[in-house]
Amino acid sequence: VDMVDRWYAKTATNAPTIRAHAYGLLRTILETARTRDRLIALNPCVIRGAGSTERKVKPKPATMDELAIIVAGMPERLQPMVLLATWCSSRFGELVELRRKDVELTTRQESDGTTIEEGLVRIHRGAYRVNGGWEVGPPKSDAGIRDVAIPPHILPIIKAHLASKHVGPGGDALLFPADNGGHMQPSTLYRHYYRGRAAAKRTDLRWHDLRHTGAVLAAQSGATLAELMNRLGHSTVTAAMRYQHAAQGRDRAIADAMSKLVGQ
């Protein structure tokens, strides 16, 4: 215990998030050594709260006008990426690994004969930077594997993007490829995004805050905590919430309600 405490006291003291993640990883490894491998009798990671960090500055969601300015300031091929990051609360790693086969577009008939178009994005993988390259794997947690209903108001843009020259014809074609056809580098996206957010006078708005904005919009649309967890791919510390799933039909209602906010 003393050895771990001394290591924690001098590790990444000026980077609380990295420090918390490192401690949390060490605690998980040692817990596996204790419970599964039976190599140690006790887990020496006993500092309460050391594996978590509280964000000092809470992100301020983007407004509809700000979002519109940001999207307009992006190249055409990246505009749908901003929209999916926001309205489907997708992470960067999830977006750069999205492929044509992960988008499902369907239609259904209402009782009055009206045809309704619907869309679904399947987030089952993510791409992560490892040693200067890319590694494709599952999302950050089991809860991260999810199907997210696309709000109707952005469906035309997603459909146009799929029909454009920016996406290859095959099912494995990336939705947002780099110029060389591989995964897009973060620097490529940020170079354009920073200009867009500057035009919106929101230089504080990080890319990840678009996901936060989408969560707030979903909450305003009436989503319950469990439904938000399902839409964002979040899990909680309790097993009960980890395995609580939102109904598919309710997720569609949430997506429809989110689109209605645009007209307010």
Side-chain angles (χ1 to χ4, degrees), residues 48-225:
R48 179 171 296 180
S52 61
T53 181
E54 184 175 347
R55 191 168 180 178
K56 294 182 178 179
V57 180
K58 293 184 179 180
K60 176 186 174 184
T63 66
M64 297 296 173
D65 289 341
E66 290 166 350
L67 281 173
I69 294 172
I70 292 171
V71 171
M74 300 290 288
E76 182 183 79
R77 66 188 179 97
L78 297 181
Q79 290 179 358
M81 196 174 186
V82 175
L83 295 172
L84 288 175
T86 305
W87 294 97
C88 291
S89 292
S90 305
R91 301 177 176 93
F92 173 79
E94 297 167 345
L95 289 165
V96 294
E97 173 52 21
L98 278 183
R99 299 173 185 268
R100 181 182 289 276
K101 64 184 179 183
D102 297 319
V103 180
E104 179 181 307
L105 302 175
T106 59
T107 58
R108 61 180 172 85
Q109 292 290 126
E110 295 280 71
S111 58
D112 61 358
T114 304
T115 300
I116 304 296
E117 293 187 331
E118 296 180 338
L120 190 74
V121 58
R122 303 189 187 281
I123 301 175
H124 292 185
R125 304 173 311 282
Y128 311 97
R129 295 282 292 161
V130 178
N131 298 325
W134 290 94
E135 181 176 303
V136 175
K140 295 175 65 175
S141 67
D142 289 343
I145 300 175
R146 62 204 189 276
D147 297 342
V148 182
I150 302 173
H153 76 280
I154 69 170
L155 264 182
I157 299 173
I158 303 303
K159 289 177 63 178
H161 182 67
L162 290 171
S164 73
K165 62 181 181 181
H166 305 305
V167 185
D172 285 327
L174 291 168
L175 260 61
F176 308 107
D179 291 338
N180 64 5
H183 290 98
M184 181 189 302
Q185 298 290 341
S187 58
T188 301
L189 171 68
Y190 294 157
R191 182 171 68 252
H192 299 291
Y193 177 66
Y194 290 161
R195 286 200 293 264
R197 71 177 189 180
K201 296 181 171 55
R202 284 300 309 273
T203 56
D204 62 305
L205 194 72
R206 305 175 311 162
W207 176 262
H208 194 72
D209 293 337
L210 295 177
R211 174 173 155 85
H212 171 75
T213 297
V216 172
L217 291 170
Q220 290 175 346
S221 302
T224 66
L225 176 59

